[in-house]
Amino acid sequence: MFALIVGLAIALVHISQAAPVDVEPRVVNGTDADIRDFPYMVSVQFNGRHTCGGSIINRYNILTAAHCVTRDLANFTILPGSTSITSGTAVPVEKIIIHQDYSGFMPLYHDIAIVQLVWPLRFNERVQPIRLPRTFDPIPELAGAVLTGWGLNHTDGAVQDILQKVDIIVYADAECEKLHSLSGPTNRITHVCAGVPEGGRGQCNGDSGGPLVVDGTEIGIVSWSVKPCTVQGFPGVYVKVSSYIDWINCHLKRGNYP
């Protein structure tokens, strides 16, 4: 799915940690999905083109990755309720709130943002909010998770028109930190890893900002991965949502709606 272009410092590939992030963020080895099965999923679009994923918190607020929304506010829209990123009605953005400690450099600590909408979403079978974890809920280590998005199907592939889904596994915090000791490093307070040990399934460019979901709860936000996408031994890295619940609640747009 969506991931940043980051090389390996081992196995003949180079790691880049000094350059600022520039993402035009498919799920690798995913299968076609229906938005009615994942009604919390949205496409974050810039100048009318898909750039990242996101999830619906409530009628006015979308959760995504900070690195997805650092450009001009006026050019961003949100596309909810659509299996295809080339159909549907986009919603204009009123405000973008990026975490105050987001650095913009690898390993992308605090890579989280809230996109506030001009008008409220209308909930139906295609548009519904995601459930968030409780503050500091432990991650469900080794649990099955589902990742959805429209990102590249491989490193040199193309953004997908139809929503994709893939089943992966949540890694233990200690294993995440061990595997990314050179390519990150990751931090168990802010990051969670997911993928499969053999590689070949997970996120790629264009999946950034999308939700990692376990039993209906969003535990992670796609942040970055080692390139080539889904390379064996390097699971995808996500923002650990449970560490940011208080921050999220403090920055939601409030509105009067049923």
Side-chain angles (χ1 to χ4, degrees):
M1 299 180 86
F2 322 146
L4 300 177
I5 299 178
V6 183
L8 295 172
I10 56 179
L12 304 180
V13 192
H14 175 68
I15 289 184
S16 174
Q17 298 184 1
V21 176
D22 183 12
V23 175
E24 188 188 335
R26 159 182 159 171
V27 170
V28 176
N29 281 327
T31 57
D32 287 357
D34 190 317
I35 196 67
R36 289 172 293 187
D37 295 324
F38 307 96
Y40 49 79
M41 188 76 199
V42 302
S43 169
V44 178
Q45 303 201 340
F46 188 78
N47 287 332
R49 298 179 60 184
H50 172 81
T51 185
C52 281
S55 58
I56 299 170
I57 302 175
N58 59 33
R59 296 180 191 268
Y60 277 111
N61 298 276
I62 305 299
L63 190 62
T64 191
H67 75 256
C68 290
V69 289
T70 58
R71 293 180 283 183
D72 185 15
L73 167 68
N75 295 315
F76 279 104
T77 55
I78 299 296
L79 181 65
S82 182
T83 298
S84 167
I85 56 171
T86 57
S87 64
T89 302
V91 179
V93 170
E94 179 178 279
K95 186 177 182 180
I96 295 174
I97 302 173
I98 293 175
H99 194 282
Q100 64 275 9
D101 295 324
Y102 171 64
S103 67
F105 295 87
M106 286 296 298
L108 295 184
Y109 293 126
H110 313 295
D111 186 17
I112 184 171
I114 292 174
V115 177
Q116 298 181 350
L117 304 178
V118 170
W119 56 69
L121 299 173
R122 293 186 177 184
F123 287 163
N124 53 49
E125 67 174 351
R126 307 173 72 89
V127 181
Q128 288 290 323
I130 188 66
R131 182 168 67 239
L132 298 180
R134 295 171 298 183
T135 302
F136 299 123
D137 261 357
I139 63 165
E141 296 182 351
L142 305 182
V146 63
L147 176 63
T148 49
W150 292 273
L152 308 189
N153 54 343
H154 55 82
T155 297
D156 298 317
V159 168
Q160 303 299 292
D161 177 65
I162 301 299
L163 181 65
Q164 301 290 299
K165 64 179 179 180
V166 67
D167 294 322
I168 51 180
I169 297 169
V170 180
Y171 279 56
D173 284 333
E175 186 70 2
C176 180
E177 291 176 339
K178 177 182 177 182
L179 293 173
H180 284 293
S181 60
L182 294 178
S183 54
T186 59
N187 182 310
R188 67 184 62 196
I189 302 300
T190 59
H191 294 131
V192 58
C193 286
V196 290
E198 67 274 20
R201 279 189 285 152
Q203 69 206 56
C204 198
N205 295 43
D207 291 321
S208 291
L212 178 70
V213 176
V214 175
D215 294 330
T217 297
E218 180 174 359
I219 69 163
I221 301 167
V222 179
S223 183
W224 59 271
S225 68
V226 169
K227 297 297 187 180
C229 297
T230 69
V231 63
Q232 183 178 4
F234 295 90
V237 179
Y238 301 74
V239 177
K240 184 176 284 188
V241 176
S242 65
S243 295
Y244 295 93
I245 297 301
D246 289 344
W247 182 86
I248 291 169
N249 288 331
C250 284
H251 293 91
L252 294 177
K253 176 180 176 179
R254 311 292 175 176
N256 295 320
Y257 46 80

